[in-house]
Amino acid sequence: MHPSPPPRRRWPVIVVTLLALSAAAPASAKPVGASDGAAPAVQAPGMVYTGLAAERTGACAGMYRIVGITSTMCTHGPDPAPAGLSVARSIAPLQARTAAPSALAVCEGDGTSGRRVEVLYVRGSTSRYNQYLETFRQLAEQVDVIFNESAKATGGERHVRYVTESVNGACRPVVRDVQIPDSALNADDWAPLLNAVKAAGYARTDRKYLQFVDANIYCGIGGFAGDTRKSDANRSNTGPEYARADNGCWTAGVAAHELGHTLGAVNNNAPNASGAAHCVDEYDVMCYKDGPNVVLRYSCPSQALDQRLDCNHDDYYHTNPPAGSYLATYYNVADNLFLIKGGGTTPPPVTNLALSATPSASYTSSWESVLAINDGIDPPSSNDTVNRRWGTWPNTGQQWALLTWSTAQTVRVADVYFFDDNGGVRLPASWTLQYWNGTSYVAVPGAGGYPVALNQYNRVTFTSVNTTRLRVVLNSGQGSVGLLEVKATA
């Protein structure tokens, strides 16, 4: 007979969940409330254990293994809805701020390179992307506040290294619009959704994906590596990892809670560990009564700390732990490579010059649109079946797409996203960039190579040119060629 799953928790509003790869739990361990090879029966809304196998050995020892996916993924299991939230009710959208524009306090680099947390809106045939875009951005920004305010309590600074973009001159998290089949969206099992999101191109090893899922199956479910090694090689420092929060739990304390799991909290050898990836010394984002025999201790001074990480700074998060302490010896979430340490730098806003250009092309299939190449929509994958595409089927050979400005622009960087439907339109065999020098098209000078890769932007940097026209020239390979998006920056 299975014990009941954990009781409801008082999480502050805002949820997202992520998933880690594997565990370092002892082989004799098993998840709280689980029998060998099985998970507890569903006993409360959102506590869905279908597709989870409790493991005593292997990569997911002491946790659950997600069945039905090709690579091993582990999770501590679903989390219950916080008081005041319901899996059956959708969170109302937040309003855009008017007094002061919303933005991340700190961004880093070009907004895409290196390890990043990428926010996804995952939906089926019905889209509420435009209605909730501002909500998702604000929730991600509030999670960053939780991480940084908690770091300040130990004399440091930490920010979530999101995939970012400039929005009206402010640095904000990118939110991808990811459409998957309705059957995968609404399955009583996480695996079909994970497989669909990965098939859409979100499977990078340098990414953790925060999934705001427009469904009513879970409150949240996330991953946990259980790796206690104090090393950059800790499995909490790798991807792809995934987090899920359904629309009844689109709130920020839960998001910080689940993101904390995927970043390495709370290891079961920590001083106040519950034994199921949480802690027992309240008040704290990561602490709650997660099993029938768990006894909480209220050793932190204020319930307001329910919006902060590691209230006593001794279990999983400290920017400068004392010598000889647990966090000086074992893994510390404040060291995670998906966080910006010491504040980073705030770069000037990057303007995508392509947005103000007029697009044209050598040829466009009648069912495609050359407007796709600079409509500002980041593709979910090279086989984008949702947004506009520019393709040249059945034509082959050399084809081009052109951006034309009314006045000269200074351009130094181009990012090109190729269209490839694994059918008539395929990756080009090669490509180049040309600019108009006043009399003819010539190759951009000093180009650092022309990469050809699926499911991502292919960046070329070159010596700055001042021009009214920039042309992408593609030479066909296995089929016709096409583009989904072109960005041009100074």
Side-chain angles (χ1 to χ4, degrees):
M1 182 173 182
H2 299 300
S4 299
R8 290 164 64 91
R9 156 170 172 67
R10 306 163 289 88
W11 282 332
V13 280
I14 311 174
V15 53
V16 197
T17 33
L18 291 144
L19 150 58
L21 294 175
S22 55
S28 60
K30 66 177 179 180
V32 172
S35 299
D36 298 344
V42 177
Q43 298 184 29
M47 300 301 287
V48 178
Y49 288 89
T50 305
L52 302 182
E55 301 284 89
R56 292 180 65 95
T57 60
C60 298
M63 299 183 290
Y64 297 107
R65 177 176 54 83
I66 301 173
V67 180
I69 56 178
T70 54
S71 57
T72 299
M73 294 186 180
C74 313
T75 176
H76 73 292
D79 285 309
L85 297 179
S86 169
V87 174
R89 295 195 306 268
S90 180
I91 294 290
L94 300 175
Q95 299 300 312
R97 298 176 183 173
T98 55
S102 184
L104 290 166
V106 170
C107 290
E108 187 175 81
D110 60 7
T112 59
S113 300
R115 290 176 172 87
R116 301 272 174 175
V117 176
E118 191 162 2
V119 181
L120 311 180
Y121 167 59
V122 183
R123 48 97 174 181
S125 55
T126 299
S127 175
R128 297 193 293 171
Y129 179 79
N130 292 331
Q131 183 183 4
Y132 278 88
L133 174 58
E134 178 62 23
T135 297
F136 302 142
R137 285 174 171 159
Q138 287 193 33
L139 295 187
E141 289 157 0
Q142 292 169 22
V143 170
D144 181 69
V145 169
I146 290 174
F147 273 79
N148 192 50
E149 289 299 315
S150 302
K152 286 182 179 179
T154 62
E157 187 172 1
R158 295 292 186 272
H159 291 277
V160 180
R161 187 181 290 106
Y162 287 112
V163 175
T164 58
E165 62 184 342
S166 178
V167 180
N168 298 323
C171 181
R172 307 202 67 188
V174 169
V175 180
R176 308 294 189 196
D177 183 7
V178 184
Q179 182 179 3
I180 64 173
D182 289 335
S183 58
L185 181 77
N186 296 308
D188 287 334
D189 182 349
W190 198 10
L193 184 140
L194 287 171
N195 286 330
V197 169
K198 291 171 71 174
Y202 298 100
R204 291 176 55 162
T205 58
D206 59 356
R207 292 290 187 266
K208 293 182 184 285
Y209 297 103
L210 275 64
Q211 301 175 339
F212 290 98
V213 177
D214 212 345
N216 302 95
I217 307 300
Y218 298 92
C219 173
I221 184 169
F224 176 58
D227 191 341
T228 65
R229 294 174 297 163
K230 195 173 184 64
S231 166
D232 285 352
N234 190 290
R235 290 186 294 272
S236 296
N237 283 323
T238 63
E241 293 185 353
Y242 303 85
R244 175 169 178 164
D246 285 13
N247 59 40
C249 291
W250 287 347
T251 70
V254 183
H257 176 99
E258 301 296 350
L259 180 56
H261 279 314
T262 62
L263 297 179
V266 176
N267 278 317
N268 290 338
N269 68 339
N272 299 290
S274 69
H278 300 109
C279 46
V280 298
D281 54 333
E282 285 281 31
Y283 294 97
D284 189 311
V285 166
M286 299 303 301
C287 296
Y288 78 100
K289 183 177 172 65
D290 59 5
N293 299 319
V294 171
V295 178
L296 297 178
R297 298 192 307 277
Y298 294 87
S299 56
C300 299
S302 168
Q303 190 167 351
L305 292 172
D306 239 352
Q307 294 269 11
R308 297 292 179 263
L309 303 170
D310 203 352
C311 65
N312 283 318
H313 316 300
D314 56 354
D315 297 326
Y316 62 91
Y317 194 73
H318 195 308
T319 60
N320 188 26
S325 66
Y326 169 80
L327 289 174
T329 306
Y330 293 99
Y331 191 68
N332 181 358
V333 171
D335 295 334
N336 193 281
L337 299 181
F338 285 84
L339 300 178
I340 302 170
K341 302 173 179 64
T345 57
T346 302
V350 176
T351 300
N352 178 12
L353 301 173
L355 296 176
S356 61
T358 300
S360 58
S362 55
Y363 174 79
T364 304
S365 305
S366 60
W367 55 91
E368 310 289 14
S369 174
V370 72
L371 298 177
I373 71 170
N374 66 331
D375 60 9
I377 299 174
D378 287 314
S381 71
S382 288
N383 188 16
D384 186 353
T385 59
V386 178
N387 303 298
R388 291 182 293 198
R389 295 124 21 131
W390 172 67
T392 62
W393 193 90
N395 288 8
T396 57
Q398 189 175 90
Q399 304 290 331
W400 52 260
L402 176 66
L403 297 173
T404 302
W405 291 276
S406 57
T407 59
Q409 307 290 318
T410 299
V411 185
R412 188 180 62 85
V413 180
D415 293 282
V416 175
Y417 206 116
F418 295 116
F419 172 28
D420 185 323
D421 63 4
N422 202 32
V425 179
R426 303 304 304 271
L427 287 175
S430 62
W431 66 286
T432 57
L433 281 173
Q434 298 176 342
Y435 76 103
W436 180 255
N437 67 2
T439 56
S440 62
Y441 288 102
V442 296
V444 296
Y450 290 93
V452 180
L454 283 170
N455 305 322
Q456 66 183 57
Y457 282 100
N458 293 265
R459 169 164 289 194
V460 175
T461 59
F462 46 91
T463 305
S464 294
V465 297
N466 191 254
T467 185
T468 58
R469 305 179 205 171
L470 186 69
R471 189 162 73 170
V472 182
V473 180
L474 304 103
N475 300 303
S476 64
Q478 298 180 27
S480 300
V481 293
L483 297 173
L484 299 179
E485 194 70 18
V486 178
K487 296 180 180 181
T489 52

